[in-house]
Amino acid sequence: MSDIAVATTRTRAILLMITAILCFTLMDATAKALSPRIGVLPTIWARYAGQMLLVLVLIAPRLHSVVRTDHPGLQFMRSILLMSATAFFFTGISLIPLTEAAALMALNPVLITLGAALFLGEPMGPRRIGGIAVALIGAMIIIRPGSAVFSPAALFPLAAAGCYSAYSLLTRRLGSGEDVWTSLFYTGLVGTVLLTMAVPFAWQTPDAVAWGMIGLITVFGTFGQLALIRAFSLGEASMLAPYSYTGLVFAALWGALFFAELPDFWTVVGALVIAGAGLYVWHRETYRR
């Protein structure tokens, strides 16, 4: 592949990654507004059931080919990890400000970098190890364990970051050999089946506004997943990971616009430490390479 073709492919992967993060932050903001109306579990169920319905409509003409996969085990594991990440994060944003949760979730790029080295054989130099350590310090600045401001609810976004990182690595492991619609189908199918068994115990009937929000979550979640899967099929996990930090900007914007949430000083400091660590690692180990 020529240098121009490689650069074009990387640019497409980066733009798809940013698009995915934009969709996900809009989905998160909508979920934060929806949770008080119908509860956290029905909100998570709506995210997956809506995606499943939309995907079925879009792939109906070729459903028989989309459902075929050469990696059923990986698809199932991906789906469980993403569902877990969604559950942890939606629970977190129902309890703490959106910006704070997003800042903690921003640990996932350095976790992806570590996982890519350990499990995918991607380069892992001392600067990446240092970046991971600094990013963890940034997370501790935000949650400040042992201080009066520490909230156990902050652990939910941290758990979400871990699950999402593992999901991203498995998506990268699948590569471009698997149809993106196949991956999207199984992500929605597993989440919908498992959550449908649980949601009757926490069901609250949505009103008209809530149904509108459910529709938005469906659209944002589905197209975000589609963009993310395509991005990781085109570009290295460690190359794309730093662009997750755009989520900090988007989350701060939606938090201020929709919820009048302004991050405190230490949340900003911690977020900058995490983002700075990840961007430094990317610049030194990926860009210069």
Side-chain angles (χ1 to χ4, degrees):
M1 185 180 293
S2 68
D3 290 343
I4 294 177
V6 170
T8 300
T9 299
R10 287 179 176 173
T11 299
R12 287 179 59 200
I14 290 167
L15 291 176
L16 284 166
M17 185 69 174
I18 295 173
T19 299
I21 299 304
L22 173 62
C23 288
F24 288 147
T25 57
L26 286 168
M27 179 186 71
D28 294 338
T30 307
K32 184 175 178 65
L34 179 61
S35 293
R37 289 177 173 270
I38 66 172
V40 175
L41 182 57
T43 298
I44 301 169
W45 173 83
R47 181 257 185 273
Y48 282 93
Q51 173 180 315
M52 191 72 253
L53 179 62
L54 181 57
V55 169
L56 284 174
V57 170
L58 294 174
I59 67 172
R62 57 190 188 97
L63 179 62
H64 65 285
S65 62
V66 170
V67 299
R68 288 201 288 267
T69 175
D70 295 327
H71 309 282
L74 283 179
Q75 291 288 8
F76 181 76
M77 291 173 62
R78 283 179 64 259
S79 302
I80 292 295
L81 286 166
L82 185 63
M83 184 185 68
S84 300
T86 304
F88 283 130
F89 195 72
F90 279 16
T91 302
I93 60 177
S94 71
L95 300 171
I96 64 176
L98 184 61
T99 304
E100 183 177 328
L104 292 170
M105 186 69 175
L107 272 175
N108 78 79
V110 291
L111 297 179
I112 290 172
T113 301
L114 176 62
L118 294 176
F119 303 114
L120 300 182
E122 294 184 9
M124 180 68 173
R127 294 185 182 88
R128 289 187 176 182
I129 296 174
I132 291 168
V134 172
L136 291 174
I137 292 172
M140 293 302 101
I141 291 173
I142 295 171
I143 62 177
R144 282 157 280 173
S147 71
V149 298
F150 171 71
S151 168
L155 298 178
F156 286 108
L158 289 177
C163 292
Y164 178 82
S165 300
Y167 159 80
S168 298
L169 291 169
L170 286 182
T171 298
R172 175 61 180 162
R173 178 68 180 81
L174 282 172
S176 57
E178 192 90 327
D179 189 337
V180 295
W181 287 103
T182 300
S183 295
L184 199 60
F185 171 80
Y186 282 104
T187 298
L189 177 66
V190 173
T192 300
V193 170
L194 294 179
L195 291 166
T196 297
M197 292 189 290
V199 78
F201 301 100
W203 181 252
Q204 299 180 44
T205 303
D207 57 18
V209 174
W211 279 118
M213 291 180 179
I214 288 172
L216 289 176
I217 287 176
T218 297
V219 172
F220 292 142
T222 302
F223 286 99
Q225 280 300 306
L226 185 61
L228 183 75
I229 292 168
R230 187 57 179 157
F232 277 111
S233 69
L234 293 175
E236 286 187 356
S238 55
M239 184 269 289
L240 292 172
Y243 293 96
S244 295
Y245 294 123
T246 55
L248 292 173
V249 179
F250 294 141
L253 180 60
W254 310 144
L257 284 178
F258 302 135
F259 306 105
E261 296 176 349
L262 296 177
D264 64 20
F265 173 77
W266 290 112
T267 298
V268 173
V269 170
L272 290 175
V273 170
I274 293 171
L279 291 173
Y280 172 76
V281 169
W282 167 73
H283 176 72
R284 295 297 301 235
E285 298 287 350
T286 303
Y287 178 74
R288 289 189 175 187
R289 184 181 299 274

